[in-house]
Amino acid sequence: MAWNAPFPGRLPSGPALERSVGAKTIRLCKNKDFLLAGQFCRCAYINHDGWLFRYKILHNGSRQIVDFVLPGQIFGIQAVLFRRALYSVATITETSLSAVAFDLLDDGLDRNPRLLKALLWSAACEGAMLGEHLIDAARRTAYERLSHLLLELFVWLRAVGLTEGGSFHMPLTQELIGDALGLTTVHVNRTLRALREDKLVGIEGKVVTIRDFEALALLSDFENSYLGDAVRAIRDELMASDDGEPSAGS
Amino acid sequence: MAWNAPFPGRLPSGPALERSVGAKTIRLCKNKDFLLAGQFCRCAYINHDGWLFRYKILHNGSRQIVDFVLPGQIFGIQAVLFRRALYSVATITETSLSAVAFDLLDDGLDRNPRLLKALLWSAACEGAMLGEHLIDAARRTAYERLSHLLLELFVWLRAVGLTEGGSFHMPLTQELIGDALGLTTVHVNRTLRALREDKLVGIEGKVVTIRDFEALALLSDFENSYLGDAVRAIRDELMASDDGEPSAGS
DNA sequence: CGCCTAATTGAACCCGGTCAACCTTAGTGG
DNA sequence: CCACTAAGGTTGACCGGGTTCAATTAGGCG
């Protein structure tokens, strides 16, 4: 399947690669700042099993979340290249990371093209997601943005095996969602209700269920070229498992 | 100075590198589509001397410009990695490009870590700019967005030697600007007028003059960590040349 | 049980969009 | 030399999605 191929943000071969470059494992509590914007930085990090987010505080005090860092994603590449972190990073849930120290100026890296390629892949994928987030904020209505976000989360989590039928666990507050999409919590709330009433998604506590993938994808332009094949396969799978209303139906 | 250091989007050493990977030069007319989203793609491109932009058309017909490709910038890396272009690319002015064919799966690349690094740099830098554009669209007012865009253009063009004092040539229509910032031409127009009236910028025809760098940077949170040192140096330089009102006045 | 954080809902307001007209400039052809 | 055209720039009047302010209701946890 498509998501076994070189997949966005996922190192081609985790443990082995880690050992070869001397990675260290870190455990983090939830709701903690981990990196601060401007901070000196010589490691990139692989997120194994938790949720984090990258953000920036503006002069007016508002916070923009640039993206969520889901299990299997890498972050901090830019920070190493630019010598300091461009964005702050904080945890949402507790999580374990692998820290990979590297230095582009160091010749050592020249002899590890696989790491280099993995970093390039990750950077490119991040760029692709940022591009979509930009379109979210610039051109889509709140309704469309929420749809897009939920699909993006779902597709990623599905790819790393963290979904159950059409459902997944989403440890986000409405405030986090709002800060990611450029909306207020108030409006996130209202819009989420609308999505629920329109039977496009289900939300019970922290569990989100995608009820109508097609409709959501259509209205939010979710073709996500960069996940294209994955998405197609997933949709098929969903349709199949949707007939018999999966056991996750609560 | 800082912009001689590994600089965002600028290959460490242009011509030599090009030759070593067999680049071909292309000339393009203005106002032409060059790549279409979804198109198969095996080259990345270095833009030498023109302006282009990357964009996407949404289902409602509106166009979002993801970023402008200025002289010295690379584009199309994602397209190669994902096998097909995520965004369409079109020219604004006429321009000459170098096409660099590469294939991540090809071992040949393993023996060219410099190219890999250059691509990684470029991807990271692109990510950084996209992050800022996201913040533009999500959190900044029209006034702030315009400020930010003009500074970003100015700083880049200054870094590649295409400014004169505080002025630079900007071949953009208000429609292009609007599509990049998520605004309508009408509102771009009004906001541009406001910036002019507030004496922050000057605009005569296609020539933009930065009249108050400090104020613009402050109100648009333009610290651009990713260009930090460059910006600081530039600001100093500007201040110096601003005392005697540079010859570019008018 | 009280405390705090998150979710929810109501009402008034505003930034920026929409629609529509008009102006300015450059290019073209007679 | 001017008439015609087309694209881009400029301005006005009105509207609506989303914000702001504010109050109320649910959950988690000492």
Side-chain angles (χ1 to χ4, degrees):
Chain A
M1 287 291 92
W3 51 78
N4 295 324
F7 200 77
R10 203 188 206 181
L11 281 178
S13 73
L17 191 62
E18 285 180 28
R19 220 171 302 119
S20 77
V21 293
K24 266 189 303 190
T25 297
I26 305 173
R27 282 212 65 80
L28 297 176
C29 305
K30 64 177 183 175
N31 290 326
K32 292 266 183 254
D33 271 316
F34 172 57
L35 289 179
L36 289 180
Q39 187 175 325
F40 185 77
C41 219
R42 58 168 73 257
C43 287
Y45 299 91
I46 304 169
N47 172 31
H48 293 301
D49 49 17
W51 289 51
L52 303 90
F53 63 99
R54 302 194 302 148
Y55 70 97
K56 179 172 178 175
I57 305 290
L58 304 188
H59 73 295
N60 61 28
S62 67
R63 174 179 71 176
Q64 176 61 34
I65 293 180
V66 173
D67 56 16
F68 295 110
V69 182
L70 305 184
Q73 286 181 328
I74 300 180
F75 66 95
I77 299 176
Q78 288 174 0
V80 179
L81 293 184
F82 296 113
R83 314 298 297 175
R84 40 198 69 244
L86 301 188
Y87 301 105
S88 302
V89 178
T91 60
I92 296 170
T93 67
E94 57 176 310
T95 184
S96 59
L97 306 177
S98 289
V100 182
F102 74 98
D103 188 342
L104 257 205
L105 305 177
D106 183 10
D107 293 339
L109 199 55
D110 293 0
R111 269 171 273 109
N112 195 341
R114 286 179 68 202
L115 177 58
L116 220 41
K117 284 182 184 177
L119 293 173
L120 180 57
W121 257 103
S122 176
C125 183
E126 187 183 303
M129 298 183 95
L130 283 180
E132 282 307 310
H133 292 171
L134 167 59
I135 295 174
D136 272 335
R139 290 289 170 198
R140 298 201 247 255
T141 64
Y143 198 79
E144 293 165 348
R145 292 183 216 186
L146 256 314
S147 302
H148 195 268
L149 174 66
L150 293 177
L151 286 185
E152 192 174 278
L153 295 176
F154 174 70
V155 167
W156 184 276
L157 293 173
R158 178 70 183 76
V160 296
L162 291 175
T163 56
E164 200 168 325
S167 300
F168 62 94
H169 178 77
M170 181 178 73
L172 303 178
T173 63
Q174 295 182 352
E175 189 184 0
L176 285 168
I177 297 173
D179 283 354
L181 299 180
L183 299 169
T184 57
T185 64
V186 175
H187 206 60
V188 169
N189 188 290
R190 284 194 241 270
T191 308
L192 238 26
R193 173 157 54 80
L195 282 169
R196 238 182 293 128
E197 286 171 353
D198 293 348
K199 304 239 181 287
L200 298 181
V201 303
I203 302 180
E204 289 119 22
K206 296 287 173 202
V207 176
V208 174
T209 304
I210 304 294
R211 290 221 179 293
D212 192 339
F213 191 104
E214 280 295 346
L216 290 168
L218 217 58
L219 78 94
S220 68
D221 274 301
F222 187 81
E223 38 144 336
N224 274 18
S225 324
Y226 60 102
L227 296 177
D229 302 68
V231 169
R232 225 167 297 129
I234 287 162
R235 186 187 47 203
D236 295 347
E237 194 140 338
L238 241 194
M239 282 183 160
S241 75
D242 212 53
D243 290 327
E245 190 65 343
S247 59
S250 143
Chain B
M1 288 290 89
W3 52 79
N4 294 324
F7 199 77
R10 202 189 206 180
L11 281 178
S13 72
L17 191 63
E18 285 181 29
R19 221 170 303 120
S20 76
V21 293
K24 266 190 303 190
T25 297
I26 305 171
R27 282 211 65 82
L28 298 176
C29 305
K30 64 177 184 174
N31 291 326
K32 292 267 183 252
D33 271 317
F34 173 56
L35 289 179
L36 288 180
Q39 186 175 326
F40 184 76
C41 218
R42 58 168 73 257
C43 286
Y45 299 92
I46 304 169
N47 172 30
H48 293 300
D49 49 16
W51 289 51
L52 303 89
F53 64 99
R54 302 193 302 147
Y55 70 97
K56 178 171 178 176
I57 305 290
L58 305 187
H59 72 294
N60 61 27
S62 67
R63 174 179 71 175
Q64 176 62 33
I65 293 180
V66 172
D67 57 15
F68 294 110
V69 182
L70 305 185
Q73 285 180 329
I74 300 180
F75 66 96
I77 299 176
Q78 287 174 359
V80 179
L81 292 185
F82 297 112
R83 315 298 297 173
R84 40 199 68 245
L86 301 189
Y87 301 105
S88 302
V89 178
T91 60
I92 296 170
T93 66
E94 56 176 309
T95 184
S96 59
L97 306 176
S98 289
V100 182
F102 74 98
D103 188 343
L104 257 206
L105 304 176
D106 184 8
D107 292 339
L109 199 55
D110 294 1
R111 270 170 272 110
N112 196 342
R114 287 179 68 203
L115 176 58
L116 261 179
K117 286 183 185 178
L119 294 174
L120 179 56
W121 257 104
S122 176
C125 183
E126 187 183 301
M129 298 182 94
L130 283 181
E132 283 305 311
H133 292 171
L134 168 59
I135 295 175
D136 272 336
R139 289 289 171 201
R140 297 201 247 257
T141 64
Y143 198 79
E144 293 165 348
R145 293 183 215 186
L146 255 314
S147 302
H148 195 269
L149 173 66
L150 293 177
L151 286 186
E152 191 174 277
L153 295 176
F154 175 69
V155 167
W156 182 277
L157 292 174
R158 178 69 183 77
V160 296
L162 291 174
T163 56
E164 200 168 325
S167 300
F168 62 94
H169 179 76
M170 181 178 73
L172 303 177
T173 64
Q174 295 182 347
E175 188 184 1
L176 285 168
I177 296 174
D179 283 354
L181 298 180
L183 299 169
T184 57
T185 63
V186 176
H187 206 61
V188 168
N189 187 288
R190 283 195 243 270
T191 308
L192 239 25
R193 175 157 54 80
L195 282 169
R196 238 183 293 126
E197 285 171 353
D198 294 346
K199 305 241 181 288
L200 297 180
V201 303
I203 302 180
E204 288 119 22
K206 296 286 172 203
V207 176
V208 174
T209 304
I210 305 294
R211 290 219 179 293
D212 192 339
F213 191 104
E214 280 295 345
L216 290 168
L218 218 58
L219 79 94
S220 68
D221 274 300
F222 187 82
E223 37 145 334
N224 273 21
S225 323
Y226 61 99
L227 297 177
D229 301 68
V231 170
R232 225 167 296 128
I234 286 162
R235 186 186 47 202
D236 296 347
E237 194 140 340
L238 243 194
M239 282 182 160
S241 74
D242 213 53
D243 290 327
E245 190 65 346
S247 58
S250 140

